[in-house]
Amino acid sequence: QQQVKQSPQSLIVQKGGISIINCAYENTAFDYFPWYQQFPGKGPALLIAIRPDVSEKKEGRFTISFNKSAKQFSLHIMDSQPGDSATYFCAAMDTGRRALTFGSGTRLQVQP
Amino acid sequence: EAGVAQSPRYKIIEKRQSVAFWCNPISGHATLYWYQQILGQGPKLLIQFQNNGVVDDSQLPKDRFSAERLKGVDSTLKIQPAKLEDSAVYLCASSLAGAEGNEQFFGPGTRLTVL
């Protein structure tokens, strides 16, 4: 199965709050899990990525938590800011094949 | 460093017409991808090139879609004839080859509307 399931579809958070987006996958060949951020009219841009040999990766206000046994991973945005308002996509890659399989996206709105 | 360039940015055509999109990847990136992003969905891979050879075109509707990457640099994606369900944003991405090539860099996309 190539599918990556993402939730929620949309999310409204107050400024300074924590935004949490969840993803699940089925294909055990996936070995690279990036999160992409997309603003209207722009292409997706890599935000942060993780390999399955670690359970957590943090870059600034963005953290990926990874649960290999459950085949789930999540993005946490701490101290959410209005500038974080965008659509976020989780993705998964079998690095032997390179192509990304994307989730359906989460539209995040951070209210001031 | 210049990003991935795509043109046109917008295109409106009637169904059954043909259309072509152009992509210029980041210099030195051997791998090039075309994705289709339907409104409200994540991008879906259509075709992947390594230099000028096709690596994966399993999800490309080959009865109407074609793509080429001559000389291993620029690429074009063509739809002929277009259907209403082809309305989408067509994204081009590129990456380095080898172990450094996990990160894909996306262009701004071409928004296609089929009437």
Side-chain angles (χ1 to χ4, degrees):
Chain A
Q1 275 285 5
Q2 292 291 321
Q3 196 174 12
V4 176
K5 295 182 179 179
Q6 182 172 349
S7 64
Q9 187 174 0
S10 63
L11 184 61
I12 299 174
V13 175
Q14 295 296 317
K15 179 182 175 181
I18 302 173
S19 304
I20 302 173
I21 305 171
N22 301 299
C23 285
Y25 65 97
E26 297 178 359
N27 188 345
T28 55
F30 290 147
D31 57 353
Y32 175 75
F33 301 88
W35 285 88
Y36 279 80
Q37 181 188 54
Q38 186 175 30
F39 292 103
K42 305 289 187 182
L46 180 66
L47 190 62
I48 187 173
I50 197 168
R51 288 268 197 182
D53 52 348
V54 297
S55 60
E56 186 174 282
K57 183 174 181 180
K58 183 176 182 180
E59 291 184 359
R61 297 185 293 109
F62 302 92
T63 300
I64 300 179
S65 297
F66 187 86
N67 185 330
K68 187 174 181 179
S69 61
K71 291 188 282 188
Q72 295 175 347
F73 58 111
S74 61
L75 175 69
H76 291 63
I77 305 174
M78 311 301 287
D79 188 26
S80 299
Q81 299 296 313
D84 297 331
S85 297
T87 300
Y88 292 80
F89 293 95
C90 62
M93 178 193 289
D94 170 356
T95 56
R97 299 184 59 187
R98 293 280 178 204
L100 288 166
T101 299
F102 283 87
S104 54
T106 296
R107 187 169 181 178
L108 172 66
Q109 183 180 349
V110 181
Q111 294 185 333
Chain B
E1 176 181 90
V4 176
Q6 290 188 247
S7 68
R9 293 295 313 277
Y10 306 92
K11 190 76 176 178
I12 300 174
I13 62 173
E14 300 281 335
K15 62 182 179 182
R16 291 187 289 274
Q17 287 186 322
S18 63
V19 64
F21 313 125
W22 174 82
C23 173
N24 181 239
I26 293 173
S27 178
H29 281 194
T31 311
L32 185 147
Y33 314 79
W34 283 101
Y35 289 86
Q36 180 193 57
Q37 186 175 21
I38 293 172
L39 185 65
Q41 299 181 18
K44 184 186 81 171
L45 180 73
L46 292 175
I47 189 167
Q48 175 183 344
F49 292 92
Q50 179 79 14
N51 296 309
N52 61 348
V54 175
V55 174
D56 183 356
D57 64 357
S58 59
Q59 298 188 83
L60 187 73
K62 298 180 187 63
D63 58 333
R64 298 184 300 106
F65 286 65
S66 64
E68 60 182 9
R69 191 183 183 196
L70 299 177
K71 301 181 181 178
V73 182
D74 294 5
S75 177
T76 56
L77 176 69
K78 297 179 181 178
I79 307 174
Q80 182 180 9
K83 291 185 176 181
L84 296 177
E85 59 260 36
D86 298 333
S87 293
V89 175
Y90 290 85
L91 294 164
C92 179
S94 69
S95 68
L96 292 167
E100 297 179 348
N102 288 342
E103 181 176 0
Q104 296 183 17
F105 296 82
F106 285 81
T110 297
R111 181 176 296 278
L112 173 67
T113 302
V114 182
L115 302 176

